[in-house]
Amino acid sequence: FAMVWSARDKTLHGLNATGRSGSLMTRESMVAKGRTRVSQGIEAVTIPGSLSGWSALLEKFGTLTLAEALAPAIAIADGGFPVTPIIASLWADEESLLLKDDGARAALLVDGKRAPKAGEWFTMPDLARTYREMGSLGPKHLYGGALGRRVAEFVQQRGGFLTPEDFAAHTVE
């Protein structure tokens, strides 16, 4: 969500880029899994709308390209950052969950074995690569493109409800 006041046209603009639930999430699919409510985890994953929101705001009000706006995040993901004590504690709380998934283990754990400790330097090269792709290929890479297809496939393999068509249908209001 964003609210932006435009001094140029003296107008308040609202933006909703939240993503919807996957189209495979139906009452029947939840009952078939024995669910009476949405659990935490992969079943609760919705279409990620932030990229579409950032892009829409940059297009309407920005002075930077998407690639330029993502550059600082890319630099931090590539070069790394010191893990703060609070984040280290929260990360450690999820370590057993992260250890259960090959991708999470590789991307989010030190040597694929443990959560980073406070003060440790942590890099995220896969995140940097993905941000570079988004910057060069634009939002369509996620919403209707190869990245959206990869994410939908990943989510479905783990029991979630997103489809490539859900990504392609995503809109910003």
Side-chain angles (χ1 to χ4, degrees), residues 3-5 7 11 20 30 33 41 50 54 64 66 81 83 85 89 97 115 123 125 128 130 132 136 143 165 171:
M3 292 180 69
V4 178
W5 174 257
T11 305
R20 305 321 188 260
M30 295 299 284
K33 289 184 171 206
S50 296
W54 298 332
L64 301 175
L66 180 60
F81 56 93
V83 177
S89 174
L97 181 65
T123 62
T130 301
R132 274 192 200 88
S136 66
Y143 308 109
E165 294 78 18
T171 58

Side-chain angles (χ1 to χ4, degrees), residues 65-149:
T65 66
L66 180 60
E68 291 168 332
L70 288 171
I74 292 168
I76 291 169
D78 261 341
F81 56 93
V83 177
T84 66
I86 291 172
I87 297 299
S89 174
L90 294 170
W91 215 324
D93 289 346
E94 301 301 326
E95 186 178 85
S96 62
L97 181 65
L98 297 171
L99 283 165
K100 294 177 184 177
D101 182 85
D102 291 341
R105 197 169 41 251
L108 300 171
L109 297 177
V110 175
D111 299 325
K113 296 178 181 169
R114 62 172 179 81
K117 298 185 183 329
E120 245 181 312
W121 205 258
F122 196 79
T123 62
M124 302 182 85
D126 289 339
L127 181 62
R129 179 185 43 78
T130 301
Y131 281 171
R132 274 192 200 88
E133 289 176 4
M134 290 179 189
S136 66
L137 300 173
K140 289 292 182 192
H141 184 48
L142 181 61
Y143 308 109
L147 181 57
R149 286 190 299 276

